Amino acid sequence: MEKKKVIIISVVTVAIIALIVGIVCFLAFAKNGKDDNNNQEQMANKVSDLYEALKTKETYSFTTTLDDKNKELYAKGNNAAYTESVYDGKLSKYVIKDGNSYLIRDESEEYYTYSNNQTDLNKVEKILGNLAGVEFTTGKENVNNKKYQYMEYNQPTEFTMMSSAQIASSQDVKTRFYFSGDKLVYIKTIVGEKEELLKVEISDKVDSNLFEIPANYQER
């Protein structure tokens, strides 16, 4: 009888221990899941907040840089925009205002008018806005010896220097947005095994002269 009691007590003890371990594991799993959801919400809010903030700004600039020969500047101010793109060292400049786009040629002091064309007037907000509701994953990665949180989308964006042909050559295309706090600092485009990392700089300081066509330039 005594031996039977010992066995029963042992079985009950093991069952209690197993129950406690199970509860602890469940709570830990639930916490991790909740933390992951909170982290994803937090990252989603960063993109949403950036989009909303830029949408309400009257003036700002958004620069993406691969290297000295490949970079883009977008500036917005007073219902006008300015884009300056350098691809493989070749420069192109546009002023967008009054419903038109103007190609600026500094070397010949000329400009060309594209009437009823203001596609890039809200270029940056449009790209960010197109990501609303798109599924993403989150993670952390070291970039230039510093760890950043990132959001990853399984699609390309216009924040890239890669050609459309390069992107179309692969079905495995991803875009990552890296944040330091609430500040967007890098954008990476991944096409198969190729990667392109752009440094991002956003500023409220914009030269108002960017939105003006020099008075001495001739229309062609």
Side-chain angles (χ1 to χ4, degrees):
M1 183 64 95
E2 193 66 33
K3 185 177 180 182
K4 189 175 180 181
K5 283 185 179 179
V6 171
I7 293 173
I8 293 173
I9 293 171
S10 298
V11 170
V12 172
T13 302
V14 170
I16 292 173
I17 292 173
L19 179 62
I20 292 172
V21 170
I23 292 172
V24 170
C25 290
F26 173 79
L27 292 175
F29 179 80
K31 182 179 184 300
N32 288 336
K34 185 177 180 181
D35 289 343
D36 288 342
N37 289 335
N38 288 340
N39 182 55
Q40 185 147 329
E41 273 184 30
Q42 186 180 22
M43 292 298 289
N45 287 337
K46 288 179 182 180
V47 169
S48 177
D49 288 348
L50 176 61
Y51 169 63
E52 294 296 335
L54 294 181
K55 231 177 33 166
T56 59
K57 287 180 181 291
E58 290 188 3
T59 60
Y60 72 89
S61 67
F62 190 104
T63 305
T64 52
T65 304
L66 178 63
D67 53 42
D68 289 340
K69 292 186 177 181
N70 295 277
K71 53 187 175 181
E72 284 191 341
L73 163 66
Y74 168 87
K76 182 179 179 182
N78 300 319
N79 296 316
Y82 170 82
T83 65
E84 182 177 300
S85 304
V86 181
Y87 290 103
D88 294 327
K90 295 180 181 179
L91 172 67
S92 63
K93 298 166 60 174
Y94 286 88
V95 171
I96 303 101
K97 64 178 182 178
D98 304 326
N100 305 319
S101 294
Y102 304 91
L103 173 61
I104 310 299
R105 299 287 193 189
D106 291 327
E107 65 278 8
S108 57
E109 297 187 345
E110 299 173 338
Y111 69 93
Y112 297 79
T113 303
Y114 297 89
S115 300
N116 302 315
N117 185 332
Q118 53 179 8
T119 303
D120 288 338
L121 182 62
N122 299 300
K123 181 178 179 178
V124 171
E125 297 103 295
K126 182 180 178 181
I127 298 173
L128 293 174
N130 285 340
L131 295 174
V134 178
E135 291 185 2
F136 62 88
T137 57
T138 63
K140 293 183 179 180
E141 183 182 348
N142 280 318
V143 179
N144 294 326
N145 300 316
K146 186 174 179 180
K147 183 170 285 188
Y148 297 98
Q149 285 186 315
Y150 68 77
M151 295 175 59
E152 180 178 282
Y153 295 88
N154 289 322
Q155 65 180 56
T157 70
E158 292 180 51
F159 294 129
T160 180
M161 299 289 175
M162 291 187 181
S163 67
S164 56
Q166 285 178 292
I167 293 172
S169 67
S170 175
Q171 294 182 343
D172 183 19
V173 182
K174 299 180 177 66
T175 303
R176 289 181 181 175
F177 292 81
Y178 296 81
F179 288 86
S180 176
D182 293 327
K183 182 181 178 183
L184 179 63
V185 287
Y186 292 102
I187 299 173
K188 179 187 284 186
T189 301
I190 305 169
V191 179
E193 296 182 355
K194 297 179 181 178
E195 294 186 354
E196 175 198 77
L197 182 68
L198 301 179
K199 182 179 180 181
V200 178
E201 295 177 278
I202 303 173
S203 175
D204 291 334
K205 296 180 180 180
V206 177
D207 182 356
S208 59
N209 290 323
L210 293 176
F211 310 112
E212 300 299 330
I213 301 171
N216 60 313
Y217 280 27
Q218 300 295 314
E219 183 175 12
R220 297 298 181 193

